Amino acid sequence: MAEKFKNLINGEWKDSKSGNTFENRNPAKWNEDLIGIFPSSNADDVNEAVAAAKKAFEKWRLVPAPKRGDILKVVGDKMTERKDEIAFEMTREMGKVLAETKGDTQEGIDTAYYAASEGRRLFGHNAPSELPDKLNLSFRVPIGVGGFITPWNFPMAIPTWKLFPALVCGNTCVFKPAEITPKTAATLVEIVDSAMREVLGKDYIPGVINIVHGKGRIVGEAMISHPDVDLISFTGSTDVGKRINEVAGGSLKRVSLELGGKNAQIVMNDADQELALEAVLWGAFGTTGQRCTATSRLILHKDIHDEFLAKLIDRTNKLRLGYGNENKVDVGPCVSESQRASVNDYVLIGKNEDKATLVSGGDFATEGDLAKGWFYKPTIFADVKPGMRIEQEEIFGPVLSVIKCEDFEDGINILNGTKYGLSSSVFTKNVNDACRAIRDIKAGITYINGATIGAEAHMPFGGVKQTGNGHREGGWTVYDFYSEWKAVYIDYSGQSFSGHR
Ligand code: UN1
């Protein structure tokens, strides 16, 4: 019998009001491994959760920020204790290999400890007054109820990037995780709630964190249009992000969007080729290419193009596919049947419409046990030209487009030539080119001699152009999104200045 999971609303675990449910299955062994049954919620459940969060806010905002940070410290400790179990179950529900799900969990732990310490900072500013005997101060204050809509590719790290800073700032949370990865989300919320109970004891406040499982078009839609939700944080596709911005922005909610990417790695003719090779393998095929920071374009200087491509094809063909909780597996399955179908559609576009040259993969992987899951062969297209669809559109799968460039400027222009601007990478030993790349690349993240993936939890994360709407997650920057500024003037002159200076 598969385990049955519930929503957490107002401190109580409960079924959806409609009683509807959905299944969570292992993408590497679809028919064999039913992981759990989860509530399929609707607007009624969202309304109850938002009401609970709104009520809880009036108490939670008064808990001193260092105390809120203490709760996050306990959360980090509990996640550390359970790291192996969390990672194993995450691989089971979304497919990426165990080393990566451990990394995903560690990113959440790092975010917890950073947030815990921020409870003792949340610095404001003060400034001199124009008038004598007057103090000018400014404080960060919490905003209210946050709605959090998160994707399946980083089932632990991404929710923690949002929930932890929001909580430390004094906001309350209604969380809707991706339907594909509800178990990791349920574990996260269970940990946060138990840490709250432990640290606050008899002063425990129900409703500070609520989880409502279900479909984006039902649960997510109810959240973004709810008048009592004050802010929305979303990570996902650019199309969905635009819709969220329209609806939530229409009622002046604060909205943070982390959207698509079409990240490129440039390899110059003076680069350390072995290093660049490792990086592109990891960047393109890690997480089966299902990262918004994945390397989906490789821009090779013409002098090294043929040699590098030959080595890359050879290494790619040696990658081992399989269930990510088993030893010696490099690449897991696509997360779902429909995700794999969409990857395959792009491969057909690359072959038939773009007329690029398929040099590796390009098909479902179905040998032996692979037939049980949604596996796709790591795929490389060569002779890709700027402007082709596979060069412009986010594929979110194990497909790499290789483009030849004439020189450094040409490489940077190709890299910049998409509507996205999340991550980027340049391999070169030339310090001048490296510095020009940092200046001229239009992206939120640039790596020099590193893969496009691997952002650290205490650094700003996000992108330019259609990758987002200008906010950043991670590090110190995210605290600006989850707090408002309040300016305070204290006049100790005992005089009224009635406007004159
Ligand atoms: C994402 O793909 O949505 O930099 C986030 C990285 C990870 C986070 C990726 N730390 O690849």
Side-chain angles (χ1 to χ4, degrees), residues 107 151 153-154 157-158 161 235 258-259 290-294 396 422-423 445 447 452-457 461:
E107 206 161 319
N153 65 335
F154 278 79
I158 291 180
W161 288 358
T235 298
E258 284 301 336
L259 309 174
Q290 304 168 120
R291 297 193 187 217
C292 48
T293 53
F396 229 66
L422 181 55
S423 189
I445 306 170
Y447 292 89
T452 60
I453 66 180
E456 300 179 23
F461 182 93

Side-chain angles (χ1 to χ4, degrees), residues 270-288:
D270 62 0
D272 179 332
Q273 288 198 29
E274 278 313 303
L275 207 61
L277 193 58
E278 288 299 325
V280 70
L281 283 165
W282 171 226
F285 303 124
T287 321
T288 320

Side-chain angles (χ1 to χ4, degrees), residues 7-13 48-50 52-57 60 71-72 75 144-146 148 159-160 162-164 166-167 171-177 185-197 200 204-212:
N7 291 328
L8 179 70
I9 298 178
N10 203 25
E12 281 172 45
W13 293 95
E48 192 187 0
V50 173
K54 191 179 176 191
K55 186 157 171 261
F57 176 67
W60 180 241
I71 295 171
L72 269 302
V75 168
V145 177
F148 302 86
T160 68
K162 301 178 189 302
L163 295 167
F164 293 175
L167 286 168
N171 305 289
T172 54
C173 304
V174 178
F175 171 30
K176 191 215 91 69
T187 305
L188 169 62
V189 169
E190 179 205 317
I191 287 175
V192 174
D193 188 62
S194 71
M196 294 229 174
R197 288 175 195 269
L200 296 176
Y204 169 76
I205 308 164
V208 173
I209 187 162
N210 305 274
I211 184 167
V212 184

Side-chain angles (χ1 to χ4, degrees), residues 212-453:
V212 184
H213 291 283
K215 290 192 187 337
R217 1 180 249 288
I218 299 174
V219 178
E221 198 69 27
M223 282 163 64
I224 62 175
S225 53
H226 199 297
D228 289 335
V229 172
D230 302 293
L231 65 91
I232 294 285
S233 181
F234 168 76
T235 298
S237 72
T238 295
D239 287 345
V240 175
K242 283 183 179 163
R243 156 115 193 113
I244 290 177
N245 210 28
E246 267 171 41
V247 176
S251 59
L252 299 183
K253 294 187 199 324
R254 186 178 278 229
V255 181
S256 172
L257 303 170
E258 284 301 336
L259 309 174
K262 191 70 190 173
N263 317 291
Q265 173 179 318
I266 297 178
V267 184
M268 290 299 294
N269 51 355
D270 62 0
D272 179 332
Q273 288 198 29
E274 278 313 303
L275 207 61
L277 193 58
E278 288 299 325
V280 70
L281 283 165
W282 171 226
F285 303 124
T287 321
T288 320
Q290 304 168 120
R291 297 193 187 217
C292 48
T293 53
T295 311
S296 58
R297 297 181 297 153
L298 175 67
I299 302 170
L300 296 177
H301 189 282
K302 62 179 180 193
D303 295 352
I304 51 111
H305 176 277
D306 294 357
E307 181 194 352
F308 193 93
L309 181 61
K311 286 192 220 162
L312 176 64
I313 295 169
D314 180 52
R315 289 288 302 275
T316 301
N317 291 340
K318 291 188 177 130
L319 292 171
R320 293 159 303 196
L321 272 60
Y323 177 35
N325 274 329
E326 280 160 12
N327 283 335
K328 301 201 173 130
V329 171
D330 300 310
V331 181
C334 294
V335 78
S336 66
E337 187 173 19
S338 64
Q339 192 63 29
R340 180 171 73 165
S342 133
V343 168
N344 194 52
D345 286 347
Y346 268 109
V347 169
L348 295 177
I349 289 169
K351 284 201 283 200
N352 303 330
E353 191 179 320
D354 292 337
K355 305 220 181 309
T357 313
L358 181 68
V359 291
S360 183
D363 204 354
F364 296 178
T366 52
E367 307 81 52
D369 278 353
L370 299 183
K372 296 178 180 173
W374 314 126
F375 291 92
Y376 203 86
K377 293 180 184 157
T379 298
I380 303 175
F381 278 105
D383 303 320
V384 175
K385 300 282 179 297
M388 285 181 177
R389 285 187 65 190
I390 54 167
E391 198 266 340
Q392 291 287 314
E393 298 175 25
E394 185 173 47
I395 299 176
F396 229 66
V399 180
L400 178 69
S401 294
V402 182
I403 310 148
K404 193 189 281 184
C405 74
E406 290 298 311
D407 53 24
F408 176 75
E409 277 73 28
D410 188 33
I412 297 286
N413 282 337
I414 295 169
L415 183 146
N416 281 337
T418 73
K419 66 180 181 182
Y420 298 113
L422 181 55
S423 189
S424 55
S425 148
V426 179
F427 278 78
T428 178
K429 287 185 183 144
N430 181 327
V431 69
N432 296 349
D433 281 349
C435 290
R436 280 187 205 108
I438 294 167
R439 184 192 63 193
D440 294 338
I441 287 177
K442 296 187 174 69
I445 306 170
T446 295
Y447 292 89
I448 302 297
N449 296 328
T452 60
I453 66 180

